[in-house]
Amino acid sequence: MPNSLSQPTDLIEVAVPLPVHDIFTYRVPQAFTGRIAVGIRVLVPFGRRRITGYVVGIGAPPPEATLKSILDVMDDMPLFPGCMLPFFQWVADYYIHPLGEVIQTALPSGINLAERVYFSLSNTGRHALSQAELNEPALRIRQRLEQGPCTKAAIQRRVGKTFLNTSFAEWERRAWVIKQHLMSGGRTRPKTLPFVHLGQPLDDDCRLSASRRKILDTLTQQGPMSVAELKSVVPTAANLVRAMAAAGQVEIKPRQVYRDPFGEPIVPDQAPSLSSEQVQAVVRMAPVLGQGYHTFLLFGVTGSGKTEIYLHMAHRSIAMGLPVIVLVPEIALISQTERAFRARFGDCVALLHSGLSDGERLDQWRRIQRGEVLIAIGARSAVFAPFEAIGLIVVDEEHDDAYKQEGALRYNARDLAVLRAQQQGAVALLGSATPSLQSAYNAQMGKFEKISLYERVDRQMLPQIQVEDLTTMHEVRAADRFLTATLIQSVQETLSRKEQVLIFLNRRGFANTLVCAACGQSVKCAHCDVGLTFHQGINAFQCHYCGFSRAAAARCTRCGSARINRLGIGTERLTDQLKARFPAACVARMDRDTTRRKGALLKILKALRDRRIDILVGTQMVAKGHDYPHITLVGIICADMSLNLPDFRAGERTFQILAQVAGRAGRGQSPGRVILQTYNPRHFSIVAARDQDFEAFYRQEMQFRRALGYPPVTRMIQLRISGRNKGRTADYARRMGDFGVRLQRQTAGFGDLTLLGPIEAPLHRIADRYRWQLLVKGGQVRTLHQYVRSLLFGPEGMAGTGDIAVAVDVDPVYLM
């Protein structure tokens, strides 16, 4: 399939953003000839509706087929360069996902149009239903339709499980309800503002007011200006320019402008002198830029100056005219990275992440596409930045699980960064103080080149880590168990020195265990097999998986008692305890609850940077890459929370998050200290984190992985089977497992694969869907993919049916 359409064509291939794995051929009417290119969106008929599709190449007429024609061309220029099409195709093949949905995932959201079926009341229906005696569900349907046209899904949400299609069909038959096919979507568009231009030259005898003369003089001196800009010169400009336009003195024309996603202005900086280790790293990597594909694993202890190496490498790349992509794992880190790159490189930086509005993201995408910037910074979706050529792709904190997308397309941005660098002859630079076992293994096998930084910048000492054994605290009352005497004393000493404290607890809410005091029944989510968490700020019990909420005053569902014991601890309760113990200190909390609103996260980080926060309590988002030199004490409340999860990566995650959060201490001139509280002080993950010894952890963990045949020594695909009916879901999962075993026996080459399951997922029910999983392991990627494709799409394929959904997760990160 060609990357560009060099010749006008009357047949094109189109990928549609639907769960179908085929590419479709359409005719191009003569009116659209010359406007077609790879990456252009077209409006196409698909079944009984019209949807947006993406042009991916020249089509060949299928035998004995009547082809439909495209209905419209929706872009003046492609949304992505043709050179990215092989990248999208690889992603679709590797992750066993439709190409159209891959492209839709990459592009800014909210730009596509699709036809949807809407229902509304006819005049006859409005009269008839107002006179009829309706039951409660029918009454709610009528009330929803009276509000205006809506989809059947919206009606079902309003009525719930009592919705009956047969009753609604009868209303349609009687013409009480009208069905309409309407286009929806396309809400995200370029932003335009009215700009004022000079009009026709004025006659010499033309008399103007002082305000009009000032407007014309300003336009003469500064050129076209927006109405808003003119109002800063002449407050009444908005009314005046309309009258002046009518008189021909000025012209008002719309102009496309960019929405500004950046915060406060950044003061430019100068590159500091590099340490000897940093110099050696840059000297090794820089000559490879522009010379073809290469991947480096930059292993550097926390505070060793990896960001400065990224900046130097980016400078070398853009000096060669080669753009740079910088990935960070979470939006929480983008502000810090953005500030560093804007201070060094100015306005040639663009942002791409989900924290932007749809309009802001579209504008940033267009800036990249038009060649107006050379650096794109963002979370995992920034790997799709539409650069024609790339010199360098940086993946900071490459070990972080946040690079794994847990949506419909379950891609890993770190892996895609390496793949895109390989396809475009670029350098991939993966950095971490605690590399993933996958990357460390690739370095050991020679696929990546490892470069190590063992010293902190300015020879700062790594923090002293003291382990507190919580098993000795069993006689201490529960309220004080997680704030040991050692930690309290250390916090007091730190605050007395006017230094900052970071307290890490990877559990939000106030109390995470809710038990009826009368009958012992745990308070569970109505839609998931998980317990609810008490959130004091909203006085409610909440589910952290589906969002279900109950008022805290609700009674036990088993016995009706109002006495609900609130046990356990979360960041909300811990914050209250710290405020009570240290009333003079400013205690703040940073977790998903306190950072939901746009700008809330930046506000917290700015207050921390300005030293208006003395103690910061947070979940794992405080552990990643933040650099605040006045934090000299880190308290880890319970280091074991992720250690006992039923997941083979539990030890790896525990080591990484403990080593990372410990690394937040002592990054300035004052030495750092870490109090690590644990029930398992002798577990090798805890010991390695205490000693900041990644090599020791890697050796021990790899022994387990090799013995059990788990990644990275093998590859794995997870099949997730889910449905609303418990029995049918279980039956389908078991039949899929039986078919998988039979497929192994019948097909040469599949016998070396290992099937695990099917079994119920550890979290068996989420959002009213029962979940099963089947794991397939193997040493050869090609064989593994062939097997899964045969299992799902072969003659007897089991890709789901009715309400039973089967999701494919290649290289899964979460097994819960």
Side-chain angles (χ1 to χ4, degrees):
M1 197 179 298
N3 292 351
S4 60
L5 308 183
S6 56
Q7 299 292 331
T9 178
D10 62 347
L11 295 178
I12 56 172
E13 290 189 336
V14 175
V16 295
L18 293 172
V20 291
H21 289 259
D22 295 320
I23 303 298
F24 300 90
T25 303
Y26 286 88
R27 293 194 180 279
V28 179
Q30 190 172 3
F32 300 132
T33 301
R35 295 178 58 190
I36 300 296
V38 168
I40 288 284
R41 292 176 303 150
V42 289
L43 189 65
V44 296
F46 194 85
R48 297 181 179 181
R49 56 179 173 156
R50 297 167 289 170
I51 61 172
T52 298
Y54 311 103
V55 178
V56 295
I58 295 175
E64 301 179 3
T66 301
L67 298 181
K68 297 179 180 180
S69 297
I70 65 172
L71 303 174
D72 198 3
V73 177
M74 302 174 66
D75 299 305
D76 296 326
M77 60 182 293
L79 283 174
F80 58 87
C83 64
M84 289 186 68
L85 185 57
F87 177 58
F88 292 145
Q89 291 171 323
W90 187 96
V91 174
D93 290 340
Y94 185 77
Y95 290 104
I96 313 178
H97 200 79
L99 176 60
E101 291 192 343
V102 170
I103 297 174
Q104 182 183 42
T105 300
L107 296 177
S109 59
I111 61 175
N112 284 352
L113 289 172
E115 188 172 66
R116 301 180 71 181
V117 178
Y118 287 82
F119 296 89
S120 59
L121 284 176
S122 66
N123 291 332
T124 303
R126 194 180 302 275
H127 176 74
L129 291 173
S130 65
Q131 302 297 317
E133 291 187 12
L134 302 177
N135 58 24
E136 181 63 24
L139 180 62
R140 277 189 273 169
I141 294 175
R142 190 196 76 188
Q143 290 171 342
R144 177 62 187 88
L145 290 170
E146 285 175 341
Q147 296 174 8
C150 61
T151 63
K152 187 175 287 188
I155 297 172
Q156 288 176 318
R157 285 195 298 271
R158 177 70 171 264
V159 179
K161 294 181 180 179
T162 56
F163 177 83
L164 294 176
N165 271 307
T166 52
S167 300
F168 196 75
E170 176 64 16
W171 290 12
E172 285 189 72
R173 190 186 66 78
R174 296 188 179 192
W176 293 354
V177 172
I178 301 171
K179 181 191 294 186
Q180 297 173 289
H181 294 262
L182 302 174
M183 299 302 295
S184 63
R187 65 183 184 276
T188 307
R189 297 182 176 89
K191 181 179 181 180
T192 58
L193 288 178
F195 268 69
V196 184
H197 300 247
L198 286 173
Q200 297 296 324
L202 300 179
D203 296 331
D204 293 338
D205 58 349
C206 181
R207 301 177 63 182
L208 296 174
S209 67
S211 295
R212 292 194 181 199
R213 175 60 65 186
K214 190 170 185 179
I215 289 174
L216 293 177
D217 290 343
T218 302
L219 292 175
T220 301
Q221 295 169 8
Q222 300 187 28
M225 299 176 66
S226 70
V227 174
E229 291 172 326
L230 276 176
K231 285 174 66 177
S232 65
V233 179
V234 179
T236 58
N239 294 325
L240 287 174
V241 294
R242 284 194 290 269
M244 294 173 70
Q249 297 163 357
V250 298
E251 293 181 358
I252 302 176
K253 301 177 182 178
R255 177 188 292 186
Q256 185 175 330
V257 297
Y258 292 133
R259 286 152 281 216
D260 184 11
F262 298 105
E264 58 192 30
I266 303 297
V267 178
D269 73 354
Q270 296 293 324
S273 299
L274 299 181
S275 68
S276 59
E277 280 190 332
Q278 289 174 316
V279 169
Q280 290 173 11
V282 172
V283 167
R284 174 65 196 94
M285 292 188 288
V288 181
L289 286 169
Q291 302 301 310
Y293 164 68
H294 203 97
T295 294
F296 294 98
L297 175 61
L298 183 62
F299 165 62
V301 299
T302 55
S304 58
K306 293 185 290 294
T307 300
E308 195 57 47
I309 291 177
Y310 303 155
L311 291 164
H312 273 72
M313 289 293 290
H315 175 76
R316 302 286 185 98
S317 183
I318 63 176
M320 301 168 67
L322 295 173
V324 176
I325 296 175
V326 182
L327 302 183
V328 293
E330 290 190 354
I331 297 173
L333 291 173
I334 288 177
S335 174
Q336 179 174 286
T337 305
E338 170 217 322
R339 291 174 63 87
F341 275 80
R342 286 176 63 203
R344 193 67 54 87
F345 301 108
D347 294 334
C348 75
V349 176
L351 296 181
L352 284 177
H353 59 81
S354 60
L356 305 178
S357 68
D358 288 345
E360 289 171 340
R361 184 175 170 127
L362 176 62
D363 289 348
Q364 296 296 295
W365 183 275
R366 289 296 195 186
R367 291 180 69 212
I368 297 169
Q369 189 182 20
R370 291 167 177 161
E372 298 173 11
V373 298
L374 287 172
I375 299 173
I377 299 173
R380 54 181 174 257
S381 63
V383 75
F384 298 111
F387 287 119
E388 283 274 3
I390 299 174
L392 174 69
I393 304 180
V394 174
V395 185
D396 191 24
E397 309 290 350
E398 66 84 27
H399 66 277
D400 202 296
D401 289 344
Y403 282 122
K404 177 71 171 182
Q405 168 73 26
E406 287 295 310
L409 173 59
R410 294 173 170 84
Y411 68 91
N412 191 309
R414 177 201 62 209
D415 298 342
L416 291 192
V418 174
L419 182 277
R420 191 168 182 194
Q422 185 179 43
Q423 286 190 344
Q424 297 199 231
V427 171
L429 174 53
L430 316 181
S432 178
T434 55
S436 63
L437 260 70
Q438 182 70 54
S439 295
Y441 182 74
N442 284 335
Q444 185 182 36
M445 301 302 291
K447 294 182 180 179
F448 300 168
E449 181 177 345
K450 184 179 179 182
I451 296 176
S452 300
L453 305 173
Y454 295 107
E455 295 181 353
R456 282 186 157 187
V457 174
D458 297 330
R459 298 190 177 274
Q460 299 158 348
M461 296 295 292
L462 286 169
Q464 173 193 354
I465 301 179
Q466 179 178 341
V467 175
E468 287 287 297
D469 186 355
L470 292 178
T471 61
T472 64
M473 305 285 291
H474 57 274
E475 295 183 359
V476 178
R477 68 189 186 102
D480 298 327
R481 191 170 299 159
F482 293 106
L483 286 175
T484 62
T486 301
L487 180 56
I488 292 171
Q489 182 180 350
S490 299
V491 172
Q492 289 173 333
E493 293 171 353
T494 303
L495 295 178
S496 68
R497 297 193 299 268
K498 305 298 183 184
E499 296 168 351
Q500 293 172 304
V501 178
L502 177 64
I503 304 294
F504 170 72
L505 174 62
N506 205 20
R507 181 174 289 161
R508 60 192 175 98
F510 190 88
N512 63 292
T513 304
L514 306 172
V515 180
C516 175
C519 70
Q521 170 81 1
S522 63
V523 181
K524 287 193 171 184
C525 175
H527 308 287
C528 309
D529 287 338
V530 296
L532 298 179
T533 298
F534 174 59
H535 288 254
Q536 184 171 257
I538 59 174
N539 196 32
F541 302 151
Q542 278 194 334
C543 175
H544 289 174
Y545 287 88
C546 74
F548 171 77
S549 180
R550 285 178 57 188
R555 295 176 176 268
C556 174
T557 55
R558 175 191 284 179
C559 70
S561 172
R563 294 186 298 129
I564 304 296
N565 288 335
R566 299 164 183 174
L567 310 175
I569 188 170
T571 51
E572 196 175 14
R573 171 174 276 181
L574 180 61
T575 300
D576 284 355
Q577 291 181 358
L578 288 167
K579 286 179 178 178
R581 286 189 175 272
F582 306 102
C586 176
V587 184
R589 176 163 57 97
M590 190 167 91
D591 56 26
R592 194 179 301 176
D593 296 327
T594 62
T595 58
R596 291 185 190 278
R597 292 185 178 180
K598 186 174 182 179
L601 175 62
L602 295 180
K603 185 177 180 180
I604 294 172
L605 294 176
K606 187 176 187 302
L608 187 66
R609 185 171 61 247
D610 296 342
R611 303 183 69 178
R612 288 183 280 115
I613 293 174
D614 300 309
I615 304 174
L616 180 65
V617 178
T619 54
Q620 62 182 2
M621 64 171 57
V622 306
K624 303 173 181 181
H626 297 293
D627 187 6
Y628 293 99
H630 298 290
I631 293 177
T632 57
L633 175 66
V634 168
I636 300 173
I637 296 302
C638 186
D640 315 282
M641 286 192 171
S642 60
L643 198 54
N644 298 314
L645 294 176
D647 191 320
F648 71 90
R649 289 192 176 91
E652 180 180 3
R653 291 198 182 100
T654 299
F655 167 77
Q656 288 169 342
I657 200 163
L658 295 181
Q660 288 286 336
V661 73
R664 300 313 106 204
R667 298 170 74 95
Q669 299 303 314
S670 301
R673 187 183 181 196
V674 179
I675 308 297
L676 191 158
Q677 301 179 164
T678 175
Y679 287 103
N680 294 279
R682 287 178 292 279
H683 192 284
F684 78 95
S685 296
I686 304 291
V687 173
R690 179 198 67 193
D691 298 339
Q692 298 276 293
D693 191 344
F694 172 77
E695 303 294 346
F697 170 78
Y698 177 80
R699 289 192 299 270
Q700 182 72 56
E701 182 69 12
M702 284 301 296
Q703 289 182 17
F704 297 137
R705 302 287 180 93
R706 288 191 176 95
L708 297 172
Y710 276 115
V713 296
T714 61
R715 308 300 284 271
M716 179 184 289
I717 296 179
Q718 180 190 47
L719 300 173
R720 300 176 179 175
I721 304 101
S722 67
R724 293 192 178 275
N725 184 281
K726 184 177 183 179
R728 285 200 298 268
T729 305
D731 178 66
Y732 195 89
R734 293 188 182 105
R735 286 192 291 114
M736 175 178 277
D738 293 341
F739 175 49
V741 172
R742 193 166 68 249
L743 188 63
Q744 273 191 295
R745 293 170 180 168
Q746 295 173 349
T747 309
F750 290 165
D752 293 335
L753 300 176
T754 301
L755 268 65
L756 301 176
I759 61 170
E760 293 181 353
L763 297 176
H764 183 43
R765 184 172 62 113
I766 297 294
D768 285 327
R769 294 190 70 86
Y770 295 91
R771 307 160 71 243
W772 285 67
Q773 59 187 22
L774 176 67
L775 298 178
V776 190
K777 294 192 301 180
Q780 300 296 321
V781 174
R782 185 186 298 274
T783 304
L784 197 59
H785 279 65
Q786 287 174 345
Y787 174 80
V788 171
R789 287 183 182 279
S790 299
L791 187 63
L792 298 180
F793 309 122
E796 301 177 59
M798 300 185 69
T801 177
D803 180 55
I804 307 296
V806 178
V808 182
D809 192 352
V810 181
D811 303 328
V813 168
Y814 302 102
L815 300 180
M816 297 294 288

